[in-house]
Amino acid sequence: MSRNNNSRRNGVRMITIKGISNRGTNNFNLEAINEYLQSLNNRNEKKQTIGLLNYIPRSKTEFKTYLKLIKDKISALLDVNIQKTLSLLNIFKWNIILLLNTVKQQKDAFYINYSLNVDPAEAGSKILNGFTCTICTDVFNSTNTFAGFCGHRFCYTCYERYVKSKIQANQSVIKCLDYNCKILLKDEEIALFLSTEELKIYNEASKLKFFRNFSSFKECPNLLCSSVVEYYSSLTLLSKPQIVKCKQKHRFCFSCSKGQHSIIPCDLAEDWLKKAATKFTNEENYETSLDSRKSKEWIYYNTKKCPKCNVDIEKNAGCNHMNCYNCKFHFCWLCLKEYINHNNFYECRDYTNAKVQAVKKFVYTGGKFMEHFNNYEKYYYEANLSKSLHKKAHTLLKGCGTRLKNSYGMLIDYIKKLIKCEYMIAWISVFTYYLTDPSQSRITEYQKSLEMYAYKSKNLIILNLDSLVSFELKKIKTINANMCKTANTIKELVDNGLDRNIWAFRD
């Protein structure tokens, strides 16, 4: 850092950080940052809102272009090069509002805290004489050393061991070796320490790195789709499902990156899909093939989720003391509680007591499961049939005369609402399965009404699809309105119960 002792303003000595221009009271253009933050809050792009979630669907090409625009803009605002900008964006998980607000809050200190004042020539590999490594404490007459752009330099051997240990632990986001440093290593820097085989492993992990670690963007879970959804609301995601629609019109839950699951919380939806043993990424990929069922069944009965980070873990040998490879949490394989209170590697008192209750619960829920599953499967099938009606209505709309265009447009809108309600009925069956006492709520009563409206609406649509009659269209409109009103009532009932924590769910 270079200091200009002669630079003063209002009797206060100013400090200039090397390589960065001194603009006003800070080393960045505060006015330009405020203007950009304001523009982010007033986006002109098309906004879509479902519940508390604001999002923008983008194609893969649009997404890459958008990221480049962000990098260029932040680089210009902070007066740093693209590589340092990219590192900052990764540190802040591409949350540009949080990044710029941190700059405003920390002001000059931001450049020091994130090593932006370090000369780029200090980074990379260098052979030094008389170097002492603060990690291994060895003193070298002459040795190869390495430093990221933060300038924290260590011997090459220590850095190599550190990077390889992170790769073996399946980590693709690797920070500087200095304990207090926040700077991330670049991909090309990590590659310096890896063999060809290790580099292949790292590259595979890196393919998932962006979407796994950065919550502002999610990739559509449909295997045939490459669309991306950007989440830009300042509100924190709740445990309630946040259903979004990608550029290719695939609906999925932004909170858990699974297919849409209507009204029920993500953890219950995930448990249900395992129990049901169905291959399901979204409604377009809904299958119940024997192979996919067997695969899901094997995962359900042979793996458990880490209690802390929710990663699937298989136990293939050894004691019950487990150490999660992803978050390093130590827990008991049997009871899934933190291992610190256990004193026996092969037995668990908590698990023994819980096992008795589990047997009773299995007897109670066994018959109930098939009843709820059959209704769930039935209405997914009905929703897929309604989609074929939707496609047919679009075909008829293109070939009809001017007089019928408005009528077919209205009918298409009614079919869309019917599809949503049929998916909701399917997931209501799941929700009531997990409730310890469904009779305490009025959900089952509303569910029956919703099923009746959906049935009547669908029958009228099928009968009038080829030759629309004005009177019948009015009947469909009335039934559709009642159906939507009932669906909204159910959603409000479920959401209020979740907000007030009044629902008691079966384990």
Side-chain angles (χ1 to χ4, degrees), residues 78-169:
L78 303 186
D79 194 16
V80 296
N81 63 38
I82 290 294
Q83 289 297 340
K84 290 185 178 183
T85 301
L86 185 59
S87 181
L88 286 174
L89 287 167
N90 286 336
I91 290 168
F92 284 87
K93 299 186 175 182
W94 288 79
N95 188 331
I96 48 182
I97 294 176
L98 177 61
L99 168 59
L100 294 178
N101 280 328
T102 305
V103 171
K104 287 173 60 180
Q105 183 181 0
Q106 297 184 7
K107 300 180 179 177
D108 292 348
F110 181 86
Y111 287 87
I112 300 171
N113 293 340
Y114 292 91
S115 305
L116 301 180
N117 59 321
V118 177
D119 189 340
E122 293 296 318
S125 298
K126 280 185 182 179
I127 295 177
L128 297 178
N129 298 324
F131 178 77
T132 301
C133 178
T134 55
I135 298 294
C136 61
T137 67
D138 286 347
V139 181
F140 300 94
N141 291 328
S142 179
T143 188
N144 194 10
T145 64
F146 179 81
F149 78 75
C150 52
H152 298 126
R153 188 166 293 279
F154 304 93
C155 76
Y156 197 88
T157 304
C158 282
Y159 235 118
E160 184 178 35
R161 287 173 181 167
Y162 166 70
V163 170
K164 288 190 174 186
S165 69
K166 293 292 184 182
I167 299 300
Q168 288 169 2

Side-chain angles (χ1 to χ4, degrees), residues 264-282:
I264 80 167
C266 299
D267 55 341
L268 295 186
E270 186 171 3
D271 186 69
W272 171 264
L273 293 173
K274 283 189 172 184
K275 279 185 170 69
T278 58
K279 182 181 179 183
F280 175 73
T281 54
N282 55 53

Side-chain angles (χ1 to χ4, degrees), residues 208-229:
L208 302 173
K209 178 174 70 173
F210 188 86
F211 295 106
R212 185 174 62 195
N213 291 294
F214 307 136
S215 57
S216 296
F217 306 97
K218 291 284 177 76
E219 203 169 19
C220 175
N222 190 313
L223 298 176
L224 302 176
C225 182
S226 59
S227 299
V228 175
V229 171

Side-chain angles (χ1 to χ4, degrees), residues 9 14-30 76-80 108 111 116-117:
R9 181 179 291 135
M14 303 302 295
I15 297 175
T16 302
I17 296 175
K18 181 179 179 182
I20 300 175
S21 59
N22 188 13
R23 290 181 291 244
T25 56
N26 305 309
N27 295 313
F28 46 83
N29 193 331
L30 182 61
L77 286 173
L78 303 186
D79 194 16
V80 296
D108 292 348
Y111 287 87
L116 301 180
N117 59 321

